[in-house]
Amino acid sequence: VLRCMGLPESVANERMSGFQFPGVTVGYRAAMPEVHVKLELEQGAPGAAALEEARKRLGKECFGVDCGSLEEVVGELLRSRGQTVATAESCTAGRIAAALTAKPGASDYFLGGAVVYSNAEKVRQCSVQPETLEQVGAVSEEVARQLAEGIRKAVGSDWGIGVTGIAGPGGGSIEKPVGTVHIAVSSARKTTHRQLLLPGDRERIMRFSMGAALELLRRALLA
C-alpha cells in the first residue's frame, strides 16, 4: 500500500494510467485526507520493479509504503531526530495536536498546542502582531507565519505549526472564500508557508487542512 497526501484519487488514477506489470493489480482507496494506492501481487510477480515504478509515478505526494498514517510517520521522523513540535490552530480546532498525540509516546516529540480562534488569543498566546491582524486579517499568510513562529518560541519546541482559515459554512468573502486556509511550519532556520483553497463542507476542510499541515512539516523535516 502506497500512502499519499495531497493527491486526489482521480489524479492518482491518471498518474498510474498505463501501469502494467505481469501479476500486478492496482487498486485505490480514499482514506480522507489520504489516498492509498494498493498493489496486489501474484506469486512470482516483479514486485520490486512495480513498486519502484509506482513510487516514481506518484511522486513526492507518496509519503510511505506499508507504513502508518501520516501523523505516525511525522511523529517517528521527529522522534528519530530528537526534535519536538508545537501547534497553533485557528481553523482546525486542535485536530493537528490530536492527530500527533493519538499514539502512545507522543510526549517524546509533542510539547503543546494552542487553539486560538479569537484575535486576542492569537496575540496573547502566539505573539501575533495586532497591526498585522488589522492590516491583512486573521486569515492570511502573515498571521499563519506568526502563529507558527510564536508558538514555537513560546513553547520552546524545534518546530511550530500555524494554521488559520475559513472552514465555513459562513464567514467567507469574495477575497477570502470558504475553504481558504493558510498553513505555516517554522524552525529556527526557516518558516515555510502554503495557501490552500479547499472544496467541500466544514468537516472536509478541517481534515484536509490538518493533513496538509502535517505533510508540510514532513517535507520540512526531510529537506
Side-chain angles (χ1 to χ4, degrees), residues 34-51:
E34 299 177 17
V35 166
H36 299 168
V37 179
K38 185 177 182 181
L39 303 183
E40 295 187 5
L41 310 175
E42 297 177 5
Q43 186 173 2
L51 179 59

Side-chain angles (χ1 to χ4, degrees), residues 62-211:
C62 177
F63 64 83
V65 178
D66 288 343
C67 61
S69 64
L70 178 58
E71 52 266 32
E72 291 177 87
V73 169
V74 169
E76 286 306 312
L77 280 172
L78 287 165
R79 181 184 280 116
S80 68
R81 287 160 169 73
Q83 295 181 334
T84 56
V85 66
T87 56
E89 305 182 53
S90 182
C91 77
T92 44
R95 289 178 182 233
I96 301 170
L100 285 168
T101 57
K103 294 293 182 180
S107 57
D108 291 345
Y109 51 82
F110 185 83
L111 295 190
V115 178
V116 285
Y117 271 51
S118 74
N119 285 351
E121 287 305 296
K122 291 179 178 67
V123 173
R124 187 179 73 85
Q125 296 193 58
C126 303
S127 301
V128 173
Q129 297 300 307
E131 55 267 29
T132 303
L133 291 163
E134 293 172 5
Q135 292 168 5
V136 297
V139 181
S140 61
E141 174 181 348
E142 293 87 344
V143 168
R145 287 177 176 272
Q146 290 182 24
L147 285 171
E149 293 164 2
I151 197 67
R152 175 178 62 80
K153 293 173 183 177
V155 174
S157 56
D158 297 293
W159 295 90
I161 298 175
V163 58
T164 178
I166 305 169
S173 65
I174 294 175
E175 295 80 12
K176 298 178 182 180
V178 170
T180 301
V181 179
H182 290 270
I183 297 166
V185 167
S186 172
S187 69
R189 182 175 60 87
K190 182 180 180 181
T191 299
T192 304
H193 164 264
R194 183 182 179 194
Q195 179 177 351
L196 307 172
L197 183 56
L198 297 168
D201 59 15
R202 182 177 180 84
E203 174 68 15
R204 187 180 189 278
I205 290 168
M206 293 174 79
R207 289 187 70 174
F208 274 90
S209 297
M210 175 201 74

Side-chain angles (χ1 to χ4, degrees), residues 2 16 19 21 24 39 41 45-55:
L2 297 93
M16 295 294 287
F19 178 90
F21 285 83
V24 180
L39 303 183
L41 310 175
L51 179 59
E52 182 181 358
E53 176 65 16
R55 293 201 73 160

Side-chain angles (χ1 to χ4, degrees), residues 8-28:
E9 188 175 351
S10 60
V11 177
N13 197 305
E14 289 175 7
R15 291 188 184 180
M16 295 294 287
S17 177
F19 178 90
Q20 289 186 337
F21 285 83
V24 180
T25 303
V26 182
Y28 305 90

